[in-house]
């Protein structure tokens, strides 16, 4: 049974049917999924959710498909880790890592959104899926299209990290490396999407695709014992994830699953690409596009599609926004690894670096619950830290040389 009434324009409120549409033809506002919450309230309880398999489909009624789930059956419900050693390092009382660096199958939160997008693409009858990506989405679309036996076309900036290129090519999609930044790749894909009858997961399927990010927020609330934390720090690229985390908490409250959330949401970006942070700090409603220059390539979107809504989320929740340098990103990656054993990609370094900064600034109190969003695995972006972590001690297989060069060194 579907609980989706259709699509709705986020700007003018005009209604649309359930089709592969993403923009309002009257005001050009983005479309989002419109649910029948009254029906959902009558059938969805904490007990029902808790009885289901530990994957993202345990929140099935709040996701935009009509039939049974067909993709992502092993994705989601990643660990929410109480980070005791990191708490001590940062001088705070209660801090958690929501760890999507171990999400299935490609080790990033993008496996959540792609599972929804491919399920919906198949319902619409598409046999080919495509995307514009800064890397993690490319990995996930390639992998899940292979599992679903769909053809896939994937477009990336040509300077992407080697780990993400290999992590896409292994699944044998058509991989197109465009000589330009993500914003140029995305413009090209928008033109291609109007010409070919493909399901571009982050263009014409975007309203459905984006809903997958809500499961990240649902899980945080459920794993905290059906309550929302006081503070959540989210990385921002296109700005969609942070808005969906906020939406997930509000939906859970609307359905009576949690108390009214008193959660402040914070946007984290790199100094080399921080249009959302800049808008928050300038108290502006306008996102000024920038040309990205940062090691955090997965967040390097200079003209974020949901930037305005990300700023709105920060303001509505009473949070803030901050940015960090490439050096601070690397130090944060090392801090997370040496305290909690988690190797995050550069986006996680941005999130933790910003968290540290906000605590030091006093914007996040030290005695309230904090959740740091880690959205991807560091094995994909090893270039970013390769020159900053030292080298192994090289010896011949001889115990005397060990004593001389290692033990006594």
């Amino acid at each position: 049974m579907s609980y989706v009434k259709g699509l709705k324009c986020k700007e003018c409120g005009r209604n649309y049917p359930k089709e592969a549409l993403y923009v309002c033809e009257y005001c050009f506002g983005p479309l989002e999924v419109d649910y029948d919450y009254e029906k959902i309230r009558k059938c969805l309880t904490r007990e029902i959710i808790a009885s289901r398999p530990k994957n993202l489909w345990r929140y099935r009624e709040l996701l935009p498909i009509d039939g049974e789930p067909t993709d992502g059956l092993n994705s989601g419900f990643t660990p929410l880790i109480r980070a005791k050693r990191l708490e001590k390092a940062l001088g705070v009382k209660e801090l958690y890592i929501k760890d999507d660096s171990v999400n299935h199958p490609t080790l990033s939160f993008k496996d959540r959104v792609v599972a929804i997008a491919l399920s919906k693409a198949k319902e619409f009858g598409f046999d080919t899926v495509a995307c514009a990506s800064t890397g993690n989405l490319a990995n996930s679309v390639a992998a899940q299209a292979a599992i679903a036996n769909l053809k896939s076309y994937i477009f990336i900036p040509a300077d992407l990290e080697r780990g993400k290129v290999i992590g896409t090519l292994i699944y044998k999609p058509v991989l197109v490396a465009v000589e330009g930044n993500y914003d140029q790749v995305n413009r090209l894909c928008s033109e291609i999407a109007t010409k070919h009858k493909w399901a571009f997961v982050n263009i014409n399927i975007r309203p459905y695709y984006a809903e997958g990010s809500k499961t990240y927020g649902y899980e945080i609330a459920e794993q905290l014992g059906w309550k929302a934390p006081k503070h959540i720090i989210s990385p921002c690229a296109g700005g969609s994830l942070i808005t969906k985390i906020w939406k997930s908490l509000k939906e859970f409250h609307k359905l009576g699953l949690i108390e009214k959330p008193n959660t402040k949401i914070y946007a984290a970006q790199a100094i080399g690409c921080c249009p959302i942070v800049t808008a928050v700090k300038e108290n502006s409603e306008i996102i000024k596009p920038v040309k990205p220059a940062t090691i955090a390539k997965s967040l390097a979107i200079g003209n974020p599609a949901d930037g305005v809504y990300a700023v709105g989320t920060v303001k509505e929740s009473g949070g803030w926004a901050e940015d960090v340098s490439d050096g601070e990103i690397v130090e944060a990656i090392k801090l997370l690894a040496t305290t909690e054993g988690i190797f995050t990609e550069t986006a996680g370094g941005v999130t933790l670096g910003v968290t540290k900064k906000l605590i030091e600034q006093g914007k996040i109190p030290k005695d309230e619950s904090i959740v740091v969003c880690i959205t991807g695995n560091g094995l994909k972006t090893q270039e970013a830290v390769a020159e900053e972590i030292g080298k192994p001690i090289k010896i011949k297989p001889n115990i005397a040389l060990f004593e001389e060069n290692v033990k006594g060194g």
Side-chain angles (χ1 to χ4, degrees):
M1 182 177 181
S2 175
Y3 298 90
V4 176
K5 294 194 288 187
L7 299 176
K8 194 171 187 176
C9 177
K10 291 178 75 169
E11 292 298 321
C12 71
R14 191 175 294 272
N15 295 311
Y16 290 86
K18 289 181 281 185
E19 294 179 0
L21 300 172
Y22 66 105
V23 65
C24 178
E25 61 186 18
Y26 290 90
C27 72
F28 301 109
L31 304 182
E32 69 173 352
V33 179
D34 187 19
Y35 295 91
D36 188 335
Y37 290 109
E38 286 306 310
K39 282 187 179 176
I40 296 174
R41 176 187 279 273
K42 292 176 182 174
C43 67
L44 191 62
T45 65
R46 292 179 181 178
E47 291 72 25
I48 288 174
I49 292 172
S51 70
R52 291 173 172 171
K54 290 183 175 177
N55 63 42
L56 60 85
W57 293 111
R58 64 203 274 113
Y59 314 105
R60 158 78 181 81
E61 289 82 355
L62 291 162
L63 296 173
I65 64 168
D66 293 333
E68 289 300 310
T70 56
D71 299 276
L73 299 177
N74 295 304
S75 301
F77 216 78
T78 55
L80 182 73
I81 298 167
R82 180 72 184 269
K84 290 280 190 179
R85 283 172 53 81
L86 189 56
E87 285 174 1
K88 189 175 180 182
L90 298 179
V92 297
K93 186 178 177 183
E94 185 181 358
L95 186 142
Y96 302 86
I97 300 294
K98 180 58 177 168
D99 188 13
D100 264 22
S101 74
V102 294
N103 200 15
H104 180 87
T106 65
L107 309 179
S108 89
F109 89 102
K110 290 294 186 182
D111 291 322
R112 299 172 182 275
V113 287
V114 172
I116 309 301
L118 265 59
S119 292
K120 200 66 196 174
K122 286 192 284 187
E123 285 185 355
F124 284 140
F126 289 103
D127 65 2
T128 303
V129 293
C131 71
S133 175
T134 56
N136 284 324
L137 182 60
N139 292 174
S140 189
V141 169
Q144 297 200 50
I147 296 169
N149 197 27
L150 294 168
K151 290 176 280 189
S152 60
Y153 287 77
I154 292 166
F155 300 81
I156 58 172
D159 67 345
L160 217 53
E161 298 97 333
R162 182 173 168 78
K164 287 180 176 171
V165 174
I166 294 171
T168 300
L169 282 173
I170 193 67
Y171 303 106
K172 293 192 173 182
V174 178
L175 180 63
V176 183
V178 180
E179 294 180 353
N181 59 36
Y182 173 82
D183 299 296
Q184 292 168 311
V185 175
N186 193 48
R187 277 198 294 274
L188 172 64
C189 288
S190 296
E191 294 173 14
I192 295 172
T194 62
K195 184 175 181 180
H196 294 278
K197 294 185 183 302
W198 299 341
F200 267 87
V201 302
N202 54 344
I203 298 178
N204 55 352
I205 305 295
R206 187 177 182 85
Y208 312 96
Y209 150 94
E211 291 290 283
S213 291
K214 293 190 306 183
T215 61
Y216 193 84
Y218 297 148
E219 289 174 16
I220 291 172
E222 183 183 350
Q223 290 169 322
L224 285 175
W226 300 102
K227 66 178 182 181
K230 289 287 189 181
H231 310 274
I232 298 178
I233 303 90
S234 169
C236 286
S240 176
L241 174 61
I242 192 170
T243 66
K244 296 302 182 183
I245 291 173
W246 185 226
K247 182 178 181 181
S248 71
L249 298 180
K250 291 194 295 185
E251 282 185 335
F252 260 19
H253 171 60
K254 184 182 292 188
L255 296 172
L257 296 172
I258 62 172
E259 298 292 325
K260 185 176 182 179
N262 184 23
T263 306
K264 291 182 169 62
I265 312 283
Y266 303 84
Q269 293 193 301
I271 287 174
C273 185
C274 56
I276 293 171
V277 173
T278 300
V280 171
K281 289 184 174 180
E282 293 179 350
N283 194 26
S284 172
E285 302 291 330
I286 298 171
I287 301 293
K288 299 173 187 171
V290 301
K291 189 174 181 179
T294 171
I295 61 170
K297 295 184 188 297
S298 63
L299 303 184
I301 297 179
N303 189 15
D306 289 300
V308 170
Y309 302 105
V311 172
T313 293
V314 170
K315 290 182 177 177
E316 183 184 346
S317 71
W320 188 241
E322 191 52 88
D323 47 35
V324 284
S325 68
D326 285 357
E328 289 171 316
I329 294 169
V330 172
E331 289 306 309
I333 292 172
K334 291 159 65 176
L335 176 63
L336 185 60
T338 54
T339 54
E340 300 299 330
I342 296 170
F343 186 13
T344 178
E345 67 162 2
T346 47
V350 171
T351 316
L352 182 55
V354 163
T355 302
K356 182 172 182 289
K357 224 169 188 175
L358 291 169
I359 292 168
E360 291 169 350
Q361 292 169 357
K363 287 191 166 59
I364 295 180
K366 295 184 176 183
D367 59 349
E368 297 181 349
S369 56
I370 304 165
V371 173
V372 180
C373 300
I374 298 299
T375 52
N377 194 293
L379 293 174
K380 301 181 181 193
T381 59
Q382 295 181 53
E383 298 101 310
V385 296
E387 300 302 320
E388 307 292 336
I389 53 177
K391 296 183 184 301
I393 302 169
K394 192 174 181 180
I395 62 170
K396 292 186 182 300
N398 181 300
I399 192 161
L401 289 174
F402 168 75
E403 294 293 342
E404 178 184 343
N405 293 288
V406 183
K407 191 66 169 59

